[in-house]
Amino acid sequence: ALLAGFGLLVVRPVTASQSALRLGQQQLLAHDLAGAEGQFRAATKLDLLAAEPWIELSRIQYVRWRGERGRAAEAQFGEAVRSLETAARLAPSSLEPYRSKGELFEVRAEQDEQYWPRAIQSYRRCVEIYPTNATLHARLANSLWQAGEQEAARAEMTRALELDALTPHSDKKL
């Protein structure tokens, strides 16, 4: 009975969510945003603790934001941010939601400088999670520089270059 209960209450929702997630990813590859969004939303309801469907939803909202203007664009941007915040709340030790938020705020800051501090905040969390990643330190340095924090930017870029020199992996080099 315990095993059956575990299967019904844990395994079944997780596998159903993963299935919806994979279907959504396939639809996304086929450029069916509406179908993919439906699958990702279903995945969020099937497994309430899964962060990945929220990250995927943010990608759809990002694409829509880039294609919209005015209030519709603002709504899509806000939805993308909220989706990533939900993913970060569900998986606070996961790099992906914070990295994606940093990238989202970077793109937005190119249009409106008030978003640089939010990019900085996201990248700071990234380097807390993954302190040996030179690329993340470099992205933080760029955001700091763009926000006018030159000394902090120099320190981060120095750290990024130090880490870059230490890594033997060519795919992790700056």
Side-chain angles (χ1 to χ4, degrees):
L2 186 61
L3 188 56
F6 179 76
L8 287 173
L9 296 174
V10 177
V11 175
R12 186 173 178 209
V14 170
T15 57
S17 176
Q18 288 296 309
S19 178
L21 185 63
R22 299 299 168 245
L23 286 171
Q25 289 167 336
Q26 289 175 349
Q27 288 175 318
L28 197 55
L29 287 172
H31 305 290
D32 178 5
L33 293 181
E37 182 178 19
Q39 290 297 326
F40 297 145
R41 290 204 183 278
T44 66
K45 289 175 177 57
L46 291 164
D47 183 356
L48 301 176
L49 301 177
E52 193 174 359
W54 291 104
I55 293 168
E56 294 293 347
L57 280 170
S58 77
R59 288 188 177 116
I60 291 173
Q61 293 149 350
Y62 172 82
V63 168
R64 288 182 176 152
W65 168 63
R66 297 295 287 182
E68 296 284 344
R69 298 285 179 259
R71 288 186 183 181
E74 287 303 312
Q76 289 301 314
F77 181 80
E79 284 296 313
V81 170
R82 281 187 289 283
S83 292
L84 289 170
E85 287 171 348
T86 299
R89 191 174 59 254
L90 292 169
S93 297
S94 175
L95 178 66
E96 184 63 23
Y98 298 102
R99 188 188 56 74
S100 294
K101 270 197 329 185
E103 291 172 355
L104 181 66
F105 290 133
E106 248 186 310
V107 171
R108 185 64 193 265
E110 291 171 5
Q111 301 167 352
D112 185 348
E113 290 182 355
Q114 74 173 339
Y115 286 93
W116 284 118
R118 294 185 75 184
I120 291 167
Q121 181 183 18
S122 296
Y123 286 130
R124 278 201 171 120
R125 180 66 182 131
C126 288
V127 299
E128 287 172 7
I129 293 169
Y130 196 174
T132 59
N133 185 299
T135 302
L136 294 174
H137 282 276
R139 295 199 81 154
L140 175 56
N142 178 60
S143 296
L144 288 162
W145 186 267
Q146 297 295 333
E149 298 182 35
Q150 279 76 24
E151 287 306 312
R154 282 186 188 97
E156 284 300 325
M157 187 48 71
T158 299
R159 182 67 181 140
L161 292 171
E162 289 169 354
L163 291 169
D164 186 62
L166 292 173
T167 187
H169 306 287
S170 61
D171 62 322
K172 305 227 186 222
K173 293 272 189 193
L174 296 175

